[in-house]
Amino acid sequence: QVQLVESGGGLVQAGGSLRVSCTASGNFFRLNFMGWYRQAAGKERELVAEIISDGTENYADFVRGRFTISRDNAKNTMYLQMNSLKPEDTAVYYCSARIKTYSWQSYSNYWGRGTQVTVSS
């Protein structure tokens, strides 16, 4: 069973740093990480950072210069390094990916269950 699992969330003081990870597990033919999203309490899910098909990184204005997205294809893992964290960064962070289970299948979209990031003031 293919799944995405996030880890690395936690409680940090404003100005601090965290790195969250997203690892794909199970058997699959091809994995394309899409990006990181977040959802704060009472708000809609929003894009934080994404990796476009040509490898270009794209960031939401509210994290540009503070967050960095990266991936390690050998480990089937995507990361989000978060620096200079602010209380408004508090949210559940989700990763997304498009995965092809078998070579003859089309890609399907997958989401992790999320990891909580809380930034105290």
Side-chain angles (χ1 to χ4, degrees):
Q1 181 179 358
V2 178
Q3 58 179 347
L4 300 176
V5 179
E6 299 97 337
S7 61
L11 174 64
V12 64
Q13 288 187 332
S17 298
L18 275 177
R19 188 179 78 162
V20 292
S21 303
C22 171
T23 299
S25 63
N27 295 316
F28 50 84
F29 174 74
R30 190 70 53 82
L31 165 67
N32 287 331
F33 281 116
M34 301 301 292
W36 288 94
Y37 292 73
R38 72 185 187 187
Q39 187 167 17
K43 295 186 178 181
E44 295 186 351
R45 190 172 298 188
E46 59 185 359
L47 174 68
V48 175
E50 63 182 346
I51 300 177
I52 304 174
S53 57
D54 63 357
T56 303
E57 300 167 8
N58 182 47
Y59 296 91
D61 288 342
F62 50 78
V63 303
R64 188 172 289 114
R66 301 188 296 124
F67 291 11
T68 303
I69 189 171
S70 63
R71 60 189 173 185
D72 184 335
N73 292 331
K75 296 182 178 180
N76 293 328
T77 299
M78 178 173 65
Y79 304 97
L80 184 68
Q81 177 67 43
M82 303 181 289
N83 299 327
S84 302
L85 282 161
K86 305 174 181 179
E88 51 263 43
D89 294 318
T90 295
V92 178
Y93 284 71
Y94 299 89
C95 63
S96 71
R98 300 185 71 214
I99 297 174
K100 183 181 291 191
T101 306
Y102 298 101
S103 60
W104 60 87
Q105 290 184 332
S106 57
Y107 282 96
S108 296
N109 293 326
Y110 285 79
W111 290 89
R113 293 188 174 185
T115 184
Q116 176 71 47
V117 171
T118 302
V119 184
S120 63
S121 58

